[in-house]
């Protein structure tokens, strides 16, 4: 179950992400940022990814409570059909967030920059891909834990910081750049103001995301083995 009802959809897909973007812009304004529109667009990419990621984590958590994921994991280490099946509606949720957000930004942008609008839209696939792979990561880590949302709740406030939403990464200390450059979504946010082609950004996000997703798959495997051995009594 992705969302319980229409109100939940509106809050999860539109209201919460838009408020997150507004908060980032207000934070940038308080820091006297010279480019608030960049912050808004960066927040949009993050919102696309995190909406997708949250939707996947929510679905896995529900399936965990219903005993569905246990049956899925008992058959094979990685059930591609299951993960693809839950990622499709999650991706649509993330895409909906992105469309609503970017249209709103275009309307409030004083110069209505269509060129930037098109460049940001081209980054949507990168945000969705990163969100799906992060979804596998956080959902997998949540399987052996009592709190299925523990990993999600941990990374949600960190991603905007490590991706450079409010403060661009070029202003961070040099020693931390190698780490930030291999974290999800930093490439996508940086691409807002550089000339990297969208497919290069997408490829980089996929490569980084696969590594994180692999950790989630290993965590789900650990949960399955522990359940079989009896060291983990239940997954709910």
């Amino acid at each position: 179950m992705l969302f319980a009802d229409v109100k939940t959809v509106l809050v999860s897909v539109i209201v919460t992400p838009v408020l997150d973007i507004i908060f980032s812009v207000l934070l940038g304004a308080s820091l006297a940022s010279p480019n608030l529109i960049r912050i808004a667009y960066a927040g949009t990419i993050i919102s696309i990814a995190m909406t997708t990621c949250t939707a996947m984590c929510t679905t896995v958590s529900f399936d965990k409570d219903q005993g569905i994921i246990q049956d899925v994991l008992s058959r094979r280490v990685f059930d591609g059909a299951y993960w693809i099946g839950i990622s499709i509606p999650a991706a649509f949720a993330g895409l909906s967030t992105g469309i609503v957000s970017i249209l709103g930004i275009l309307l409030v942008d004083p110069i209505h920059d269509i060129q930037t609008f098109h460049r940001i839209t081209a980054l949507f696939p990168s945000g969705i891909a990163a969100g799906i792979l992060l979804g596998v990561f956080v959902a997998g880590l949540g399987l052996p834990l009592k709190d299925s949302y523990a990993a999600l709740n941990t990374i949600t406030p960190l991603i905007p910081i490590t991706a450079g939403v409010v403060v661009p990464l070029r202003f961070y200390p040099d020693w931390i750049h190698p780490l930030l450059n291999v974290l999800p979504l930093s490439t996508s946010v940086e691409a807002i103001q550089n000339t990297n082609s969208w497919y290069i950004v997408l490829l980089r996000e996929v490569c980084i995301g696969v590594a994180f997703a692999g950790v989630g798959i290993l965590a789900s495997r650990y949960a399955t083995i522990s359940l079989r051995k009896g060291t983990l009594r239940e997954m709910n």
Side-chain angles (χ1 to χ4, degrees), residues 128-144:
I128 292 173
I132 290 172
L133 294 168
L134 278 173
V136 177
F137 172 65
V138 297
L141 289 179
L143 287 176

Side-chain angles (χ1 to χ4, degrees), residues 113-170:
D113 190 345
I114 297 298
Q115 184 177 1
T116 300
F117 174 84
H118 288 159
R119 189 168 69 251
I120 303 305
T121 303
L123 296 174
F124 277 24
S126 300
I128 292 173
I132 290 172
L133 294 168
L134 278 173
V136 177
F137 172 65
V138 297
L141 289 179
L143 287 176
L145 303 176
K146 290 184 178 180
D147 182 3
S148 300
Y149 297 95
L152 175 66
N153 292 336
T154 299
I155 71 166
T156 296
L158 295 178
I159 289 291
I161 299 173
T162 59
V165 171
V166 177
V167 180
L169 296 185
R170 66 179 181 273

Side-chain angles (χ1 to χ4, degrees), residues 30 88 128 164 189 205 233:
S30 69
I88 291 174
I128 292 173
V189 171
E205 288 292 359
R233 293 186 178 182

Side-chain angles (χ1 to χ4, degrees), residues 18-223:
V18 169
L19 288 177
D20 286 340
I21 294 171
I22 292 173
F23 174 78
S24 296
V25 171
L26 291 176
L27 181 59
S30 69
L31 296 174
S33 172
N35 195 343
L36 298 181
I37 294 298
R38 185 209 71 86
I39 294 175
Y41 280 132
T44 297
I45 301 299
I46 299 300
S47 291
I48 291 171
M50 295 315 299
T51 298
T52 304
C53 175
T54 300
M56 289 187 65
C57 188
T58 299
T59 302
V60 173
S61 177
F62 177 81
D63 290 347
K64 175 181 171 182
D65 292 338
Q66 299 300 313
I68 297 172
I69 191 67
Q70 292 88 325
D71 182 59
V72 170
L73 294 175
S74 66
R75 294 196 299 267
R76 54 183 65 89
V77 176
F78 179 77
D79 192 325
Y82 173 80
W83 291 105
I84 292 173
I86 68 171
S87 68
I88 291 174
F92 274 107
L95 179 61
S96 300
T97 295
I99 291 172
V100 171
S101 300
I102 198 170
L103 288 176
I105 295 170
L106 181 64
L107 288 175
V108 301
D109 183 0
I111 62 175
H112 306 295
D113 190 345
I114 297 298
Q115 184 177 1
T116 300
F117 174 84
H118 288 159
R119 189 168 69 251
I120 303 305
T121 303
L123 296 174
F124 277 24
S126 300
I128 292 173
I132 290 172
L133 294 168
L134 278 173
V136 177
F137 172 65
V138 297
L141 289 179
L143 287 176
L145 303 176
K146 290 184 178 180
D147 182 3
S148 300
Y149 297 95
L152 175 66
N153 292 336
T154 299
I155 71 166
T156 296
L158 295 178
I159 289 291
I161 299 173
T162 59
V165 171
V166 177
V167 180
L169 296 185
R170 66 179 181 273
F171 294 114
Y172 284 47
D174 291 339
W175 61 266
I176 203 173
H177 285 176
L179 172 62
L180 298 179
N181 288 334
V182 295
L183 292 180
L185 296 165
S186 60
T187 302
S188 295
V189 171
E190 188 178 6
I192 292 174
Q193 289 187 307
N194 63 29
T195 57
N196 285 346
S197 299
W198 68 268
Y199 54 86
I200 295 177
V201 177
L202 175 60
L203 179 61
R204 184 173 176 82
E205 288 292 359
V206 169
C207 290
I208 294 172
V210 165
F212 278 82
V215 175
I217 293 169
L218 290 176
S220 67
R221 186 59 179 168
Y222 166 78

